Amino acid sequence: MISSINKDIMPENWYNVVPDLPEPLAPPKDSKSEFSSINLLNKILPKEILKQEFTFRRYEKIPDEVIEQYKQIGRPTPLIRAKNLEKFLNYNGKIFYKYEGATATGSHKINTAIPQAYYARNEGVNGVTTETGAGQWGSATALAASLYKLPAQIFMVRISFEQKPLRKIVMNLYNGNVVPSPSNLTEYGRRVLKEHPDTPGTLGIGISEAIEYALDHDYRYMVASVMNVALTHQSVVGQEAKKQLELLGEHADVLIGCVGGGSNFGGFTFPFIPDNPDTEIIATTADEVPKFSKGEYKYDLMDTAGVLPEMRMYSLGADFVPPTIYAGGLRYHGASPSLSLLINKGRIKSDEVTQEEVTEALRIFANTQGIIAAPESGHAIATMLKYVKEHKNDKKTIVVNVSGHGLLDMSIFGDKP
Amino acid sequence: MKNLIPYFTLGYPDNETLMKFLKVIPVNKINYLEFGFPSNDPRYDGPVIRETHKIGNKNFRDDLYDEFFSYFHKNGIKMYSLSYYSDIKPRFSEFIDYLQTRNFSGIIIPDLIIDYYSEAKDTIDYLNKNGFEYIPFFSPATPDKIITGISELTDSWIYYGLQPSTGIDIPYELDYTTERINSLLPGREITYGFGIKTEEDIKSLMRNGGSGVAIGTYLEKMLEKNDEGGFLGYIDKMRGVLDA
């Protein structure tokens, strides 16, 4: 295990993949004719975040204060060789996992929540707001806001709010205010509730509500994923993993991660792209949200209300309402533009796994490695198990990103864990 | 002399007003002219220019502007077409013929390397063979290798958009932007556009080696208001800033 024993593992810069993409990233597109939704970002995002969203800098210096907070919440996270799992699978190669569940909030989400709250605090705004699916992003937002003494208003997708009551308690403990989305706090939420009173909610609706709230209360919107800036902040995951592998004298043949909007996946894999052209990279989504196989690569809305600019990405349509799968973080209709481009150009492959495969993968991982991974991460583990089965004699080194723990998601196992 | 490049969408706000402004534009104070041929989907333009395309599409008549194209050509003003590949692709060679017979020097195609990257090289080769300048259009989102690779295919000047769309105001690092493009394309003529607002911006861009600026959104607003005095004053002022 290589973790905090070496302080040099933590990077001093975030890595931005945009200058290294094989083709130009299509810019955001205004979705309305009467006003610029791109200019609207000026009102809802901290200026520094906006600058980082559109920067072409390959490396962005991480502020010292943010580095200190990264250390406080558990960075660097461990890279662990899963020897028990290798033995269980009778695999001739090596399996490593980067464990983001070791952070204070139990997932990678805190990696971007901290800098976003930091920049918002520096601008002296009234507070921060966001949406959350499974509650991991909401927890990270609530903690980051609390660290910088900012109020946090969180819109939690209703189905997750009902399925995961403990997450609400966590967010409340961090002084976050949480409501199920759609809610009565916004005009958009009220309209959705009137038209679809039984809706389970979606991340798209939650985003729309948070943006409206930010505009009405001089709050700043916290970007969970999809936008490039979130992937850039998450690059601490991949940069650490690269360094940890280097210290072990290992080379990643295969990288596997799960995709909701793409932040943990991009953060984990993108730092490998410039100098590891032969590394196979696989993005896993939920079978119930088949954005890469059934979605279209096109300009589409990031949010359901159409307030934010359109992005070119793989999308199932902004009005897509996925089945109520347990991995709330994977229910988003699209994927980040940079990841979508890399999938479209064939640099990154994709896979889909069913909830049954995920549950089984989580069981195997828990029984061999002792880690109860988040349902979202279970998708990456399930793909890794499939990969090992298909490449049993290849002796490859596989690295999988376990983006969070699942200790608050135990009901995925039903009555028979 | 640094280049001042006014931009107009043909047919906006109406043919009569645009022709009135084209008649008075001081040819001794500008270097090139950029004409937007109205697009059905000006996707990389901001709300103001998008609106000009929408209206221009209704008004534009290609027979009305020939005398102006001829006039500017005779006065040594190079003319460039701003056209979206999505519009001209079905009749590309015909459109290039049309521009060449009207003495245009080249074309800016904002969507070519973003939406039609696989067709970019052949398209640029075609233009080179026909002696027509292809003006590479880059933005902060253009990867380094694309900037150098596409620029090698042409000797012409480079159009660098500072913002994701025209008339947008996203914070950016001006010095770092110019440093990056200068280091990627040493010695190339770089013209900046998209969202340039202040005189100080222009001064900084020129100080950092820029060869000129393209101004669109600000001028189109003056055309909309039929503000001929303001328009002439602005051109005069920009010339002064570039010459300072």
Side-chain angles (χ1 to χ4, degrees):
Chain A
M1 175 173 128
I2 297 283
S3 64
S4 54
I5 53 169
N6 192 327
K7 65 180 172 54
D8 296 333
I9 291 169
M10 269 186 67
E12 293 176 353
N13 299 290
W14 291 301
Y15 168 71
N16 171 25
V17 77
V18 169
D20 292 322
L21 289 172
E23 288 188 9
L25 197 59
K29 184 178 162 190
D30 272 319
S31 52
K32 298 272 192 296
S33 57
E34 62 273 23
F35 75 97
S36 168
S37 48
I38 302 174
N39 269 346
L40 176 76
L41 297 176
N42 276 303
K43 295 179 184 166
I44 58 171
L45 299 179
K47 291 276 178 286
E48 187 59 32
I49 293 296
L50 194 51
K51 201 161 85 181
Q52 289 176 12
E53 172 63 21
F54 291 105
T55 190
F56 50 80
R57 276 181 188 272
R58 189 171 276 105
Y59 294 102
E60 192 78 41
K61 174 94 177 68
I62 306 174
D64 291 344
E65 200 177 324
V66 171
I67 286 186
E68 181 52 37
Q69 291 299 350
Y70 276 168
K71 288 178 185 166
Q72 293 301 311
I73 56 87
R75 301 223 71 84
T77 56
L79 179 82
I80 300 167
R81 183 166 171 192
K83 285 188 178 177
N84 293 343
L85 183 61
E86 288 170 12
K87 198 173 168 187
F88 173 81
L89 296 171
N90 199 21
Y91 182 50
N92 292 321
K94 294 173 186 171
I95 300 169
F96 288 89
Y97 65 98
K98 178 74 171 160
Y99 188 45
E100 289 297 294
T103 66
T105 54
S107 84
H108 68 289
K109 294 290 190 183
I110 194 71
N111 301 328
T112 185
I114 285 175
Q116 290 189 54
Y118 164 79
Y119 292 122
R121 189 280 313 266
N122 288 354
E123 288 185 14
V125 300
N126 288 341
V128 294
T129 180
T130 197
E131 79 290 344
T132 190
Q136 291 164 341
W137 172 238
S139 305
T141 294
L143 173 58
S146 182
L147 289 173
Y148 292 107
K149 301 188 171 28
L150 289 168
Q153 175 59 53
I154 296 149
F155 295 88
M156 188 171 188
V157 175
R158 181 195 272 180
I159 183 69
S160 297
F161 186 88
E162 288 165 1
Q163 285 178 339
K164 306 186 180 194
L166 291 177
R167 278 285 176 195
K168 178 181 176 294
I169 296 169
V170 171
M171 287 181 260
N172 288 156
L173 184 67
Y174 292 142
N175 302 314
N177 186 40
V178 194
V179 292
S181 171
S183 76
N184 280 312
L185 284 185
T186 67
E187 192 184 321
Y188 184 69
R190 289 189 289 274
R191 198 163 74 227
V192 175
L193 280 175
K194 193 176 171 188
E195 289 168 13
H196 308 284
D198 298 324
T199 179
T202 65
L203 283 170
I205 295 169
I207 293 169
S208 303
E209 286 207 86
I211 288 163
E212 185 184 326
Y213 195 88
L215 288 168
D216 289 349
H217 295 81
D218 190 28
Y219 273 38
R220 290 297 176 273
Y221 173 67
M222 300 271 279
V223 180
S225 188
V226 186
M227 290 179 75
N228 194 53
V229 65
L231 278 69
T232 298
H233 293 161
Q234 294 294 350
S235 69
V236 292
V237 180
Q239 290 186 86
E240 282 179 12
K242 255 180 98 173
K243 187 73 183 176
Q244 288 164 317
L245 287 167
E246 189 186 306
L247 289 168
L248 290 165
E250 298 287 351
H251 169 78
D253 297 311
V254 188
L255 298 170
I256 300 171
C258 64
V259 175
S263 75
N264 98 79
F265 183 85
F268 172 55
T269 62
F270 287 180
F272 288 85
I273 283 181
D275 47 11
N276 291 271
D278 300 328
T279 297
E280 198 175 347
I281 305 179
I282 306 171
T284 310
T285 59
D287 184 60
E288 297 85 351
V289 191
K291 60 189 80 174
F292 296 131
S293 63
K294 306 263 183 350
E296 269 186 77
Y297 185 50
K298 62 176 184 180
Y299 270 104
D300 201 5
L301 296 169
M302 294 169 66
D303 61 317
T304 314
V307 179
L308 290 173
E310 290 183 30
M311 298 280 206
R312 178 173 291 158
M313 58 182 176
Y314 277 97
S315 172
L316 291 159
D319 54 355
F320 172 76
V321 180
T324 53
I325 59 165
Y326 205 80
L330 302 190
R331 299 177 77 232
Y332 187 64
H333 64 274
S336 98
S338 49
L339 169 58
S340 293
L341 187 146
L342 288 161
I343 294 245
N344 186 258
K345 296 300 152 201
R347 176 65 186 91
I348 293 175
K349 298 172 186 169
S350 66
D351 186 35
E352 288 158 9
V353 290
T354 64
Q355 193 157 328
E356 291 70 31
E357 287 174 300
V358 171
T359 310
E360 182 58 16
L362 289 169
R363 281 201 178 92
I364 291 171
F365 200 64
N367 279 298
T368 52
Q369 296 304 132
I371 299 287
I372 299 167
E376 291 81 1
S377 316
H379 290 70
I381 298 168
T383 289
M384 180 257 286
L385 296 180
K386 277 163 70 177
Y387 191 94
V388 165
K389 202 173 171 184
E390 289 161 12
H391 300 82
K392 203 131 200 165
N393 300 314
D394 282 1
K395 292 190 177 177
K396 291 190 176 182
T397 298
I398 303 170
V399 188
V400 63
N401 192 35
V402 176
S403 56
H405 72 62
L407 295 173
L408 297 177
D409 303 296
M410 300 299 281
S411 56
I412 190 175
F413 299 108
D415 297 332
K416 295 176 183 172
Chain B
M1 187 193 226
K2 302 286 187 185
N3 294 329
L4 178 58
I5 312 176
Y7 166 87
F8 302 99
T9 303
L10 292 168
Y12 180 81
D14 53 68
N15 292 311
E16 194 181 312
T17 306
L18 176 56
M19 287 192 287
K20 187 180 104 176
F21 276 74
L22 291 178
K23 269 179 198 163
V24 300
I25 194 163
V27 289
N28 59 332
K29 291 184 178 169
I30 63 167
N31 305 86
Y32 306 158
L33 273 168
E34 183 189 354
F35 288 109
F37 281 76
S39 169
N40 294 316
D41 183 16
R43 61 182 68 185
Y44 300 128
D45 279 292
V48 172
I49 301 292
R50 263 209 318 267
E51 187 64 15
T52 68
H53 280 270
K54 197 170 150 189
I55 293 168
N57 249 328
K58 289 178 194 159
N59 298 335
F60 176 57
R61 278 177 45 196
D62 61 4
D63 58 319
L64 291 177
Y65 293 94
D66 286 357
E67 62 172 301
F68 290 98
F69 297 152
S70 177
Y71 167 75
F72 290 124
H73 175 63
K74 279 177 192 158
N75 281 278
I77 305 297
K78 284 180 135 189
M79 292 175 291
Y80 294 90
S81 160
L82 180 289
S83 302
Y84 279 83
Y85 197 63
S86 55
D87 294 310
I88 61 176
K89 186 182 169 181
R91 51 186 179 93
F92 188 70
S93 58
E94 190 188 324
F95 184 66
I96 299 303
D97 283 349
Y98 166 87
L99 293 174
Q100 287 191 295
T101 55
R102 279 149 185 85
N103 296 303
F104 274 68
S105 297
I107 187 166
I108 302 155
I109 315 176
D111 56 343
L112 181 65
I113 61 167
I114 299 173
D115 300 328
Y116 302 93
Y117 185 72
S118 60
E119 297 174 42
K121 189 176 180 308
D122 288 347
T123 305
I124 297 166
D125 284 348
Y126 176 86
L127 294 170
N128 286 338
K129 271 183 207 155
N130 285 277
F132 203 56
E133 287 180 59
Y134 166 73
I135 312 300
F137 174 81
F138 301 132
S139 77
T142 314
D144 293 2
K145 283 179 187 166
I146 307 293
I147 290 179
T148 51
I150 292 290
S151 300
E152 280 171 9
L153 300 175
T154 166
D155 296 326
S156 66
W157 56 280
I158 308 291
Y159 192 135
Y160 191 90
L162 294 161
Q163 296 282 351
S165 302
T166 49
I168 295 294
D169 188 17
I170 298 292
Y172 64 93
E173 298 165 285
L174 189 143
D175 287 342
Y176 191 74
T177 300
T178 52
E179 191 184 305
R180 177 211 188 198
I181 196 79
N182 288 340
S183 69
L184 290 172
L185 303 174
R188 287 297 284 263
E189 192 181 328
I190 315 288
T191 288
Y192 293 93
F194 274 38
I196 294 174
K197 282 209 174 81
T198 67
E199 289 177 36
E200 202 42 53
D201 277 358
I202 296 175
K203 283 179 190 166
S204 301
L205 290 167
M206 297 307 107
R207 206 165 39 235
N208 293 355
S211 62
V213 291
I215 309 282
T217 301
Y218 202 80
L219 296 182
E220 295 289 37
K221 285 179 182 169
M222 289 178 182
L223 261 72
E224 190 191 359
K225 291 178 194 157
N226 205 355
D227 182 6
E228 191 180 310
F231 170 78
L232 292 171
Y234 186 72
I235 294 285
D236 200 42
K237 190 165 83 173
M238 289 301 108
R239 181 75 267 161
V241 172
L242 287 170
D243 290 345

